[in-house]
Amino acid sequence: MVRRIYFDNAATSFPKPEQVYDEMNRYARQIGASAGRGAYREAVETGEIIRQVRGRIAKMLGVNCPESIIMTFNCTDGLSLAIKGLLRGVGREMAGREVSGREMSGRGGQVLHVVTTRMEHNSVLRPLHALQRELGIEVSYVSADAQGLVDPEDIRRAIKDNTVLIALVHGSNVCGSVQDAAAVGEIAREHGIVYLLDAAQTMGHVAVKVDEIQADLIAFPGHKGLLGPLGTGALYIRPGLEEKIEPLKEGGTGSRSEIPEQPGFMPDRFEAGSHNALGIAGLNAGLEYVEQQSIEKMRDHELELCRVFLERTAEVGGLRIYGPDDLAKRLGVFSVSMAGFEPGELAAVLEEQFGLLTRPGLHCAPFAHQAIGTFEQGGTVRFSFGPFITVEDVEYAGDSLRRIAQVAVR
Ligand SMILES: Cc1ncc(COP(=O)(O)O)c(C=O)c1O
């Protein structure tokens, strides 16, 4: 039987560290309670696990306000809360001022403007699109070069008087390009504009530090680089900014049950309903693993894999590899295309004949494929590395591509 190698870590990391499975098993069999809903030991212990996860994430981001970390169910969930919650909140605030006669005319006062990029995932593009219809917001999409890199100065040039949000994807899930998030943070700070970073592909892969990047909002999944299970994620909200963000849902929090409104304090303001405590227990163990290994060491391993992949595929005829040549500006996420193959066809051959699990198509980022010139061909095939991919796995992937290229009679 052909061995199977999972190269779809940009979708979700797999496998997870052993301690993640062990911790989920322990939680499911021995604890099993919901947090904040009881005073018995198991409920308290669940609360403690969630508290630890917030603490670990806060430490990783370099902040000392764990209550500003909102637990979400994936990165999409956090991005939606950040984008819709902020723009609805700001829109309502302006409309309120308009009612009091101090604001400009128009729908809900001034039209809100957002600057984002063509490298974004649909998790950013679609909420913005929905808000164009709902609130009449205006959106500018800053271009990227053919390697998927955005010039921060283009972001500066796109800013207008009514810009209220800059949304940037830190690492591309299409071609692995890493944007200069700190330079964009500087620009956002200079203009006093709220800055949202989509760290879906970078959290756990490279250092993401709030004080260096100066982001006000950082959304990320727990199930990719942080090595937790599916169904986990988080959103960092700069302390004080929560007041401007409208919750997207209301419900039980186990706190202030006597009042009809959603409590305003963090994190309860945005955490209605029972937590995915089983998933969060796994995430706690995933975070512990990342801490033990260190992001630096994991980054070194990923870069080594990138080097080997580029070397091994350098002379494969008809193969094109997209994304930055400079390793310092990339992640272990590679888009490839091979002359004569549709992306779906190439992915099928890779799986059926070589046991390599990759992802073909547009990867939920259509504009990014336009930027790197692969939209018209139906996208690319994506190889994405994780911490358990070995150098031998990558060599085998390179050799498999070479063999496909050699036997392709087209
Ligand atoms: C850049 C980027 N943003 C957002 C997301 C959405 O993440 P999730 O699958 O956790 O909702 C992804 C998922 O692949 C992504 O790559």
Side-chain angles (χ1 to χ4, degrees), residues 8 13 29 52 80 82 92 102 133 153 156 168 173 196 202 216 250 274 279 283 311-313 341 347 355 409:
D8 199 14
S13 52
R29 292 176 190 281
Q52 277 180 18
S80 267
R92 201 181 291 269
R102 280 182 285 125
R133 300 176 131 217
E153 288 307 309
R156 186 196 297 282
L168 175 73
N173 65 310
L196 163 65
T202 48
D216 302 291
E250 292 81 21
S274 303
L283 176 57
E311 258 170 43
R312 208 73 172 195
T313 52
F341 286 85
V409 186

Side-chain angles (χ1 to χ4, degrees), residues 10-11 74-77 79 121 123 169 171 173 198 200-201 221 223-224:
N74 47 45
C75 188
T76 303
D77 206 17
L79 288 168
H121 189 274
S123 304
V169 62
N173 65 310
D198 171 359
Q201 297 297 337
H223 64 94
K224 300 188 203 253

Side-chain angles (χ1 to χ4, degrees), residues 153 156 159 166 182-193 214:
E153 288 307 309
R156 186 196 297 282
I159 291 171
I166 295 174
V184 176
E186 201 58 48
I187 293 168
R189 191 49 40 98
E190 275 172 37
H191 289 79
I193 297 168
Q214 302 190 61

Side-chain angles (χ1 to χ4, degrees), residues 8-12 72-79 119-124 168-174 198-202 219-224 230-233 333 359 363-365 382:
D8 199 14
N9 289 276
T12 194
T72 62
F73 296 110
N74 47 45
C75 188
T76 303
D77 206 17
L79 288 168
M119 293 311 291
E120 305 308 308
H121 189 274
N122 275 337
S123 304
V124 167
L168 175 73
V169 62
H170 196 189
S172 167
N173 65 310
V174 169
D198 171 359
Q201 297 297 337
T202 48
F220 46 93
H223 64 94
K224 300 188 203 253
L230 282 160
T232 58
V333 177
R359 180 163 297 206
H363 313 102
C364 303
R382 183 181 73 188

Side-chain angles (χ1 to χ4, degrees), residues 143-210:
S143 311
D145 66 15
Q147 297 196 353
L149 291 165
V150 172
D151 180 351
E153 288 307 309
D154 286 342
I155 291 187
R156 186 196 297 282
R157 282 187 277 273
I159 291 171
K160 302 184 188 183
D161 288 347
N162 55 343
T163 306
V164 291
L165 175 67
I166 295 174
L168 175 73
V169 62
H170 196 189
S172 167
N173 65 310
V174 169
C175 64
S177 51
V178 178
Q179 309 303 341
D180 189 345
V184 176
E186 201 58 48
I187 293 168
R189 191 49 40 98
E190 275 172 37
H191 289 79
I193 297 168
V194 176
Y195 175 29
L196 163 65
L197 190 72
D198 171 359
Q201 297 297 337
T202 48
M203 199 65 181
H205 291 269
V206 298
V208 178
K209 296 288 181 193
V210 169

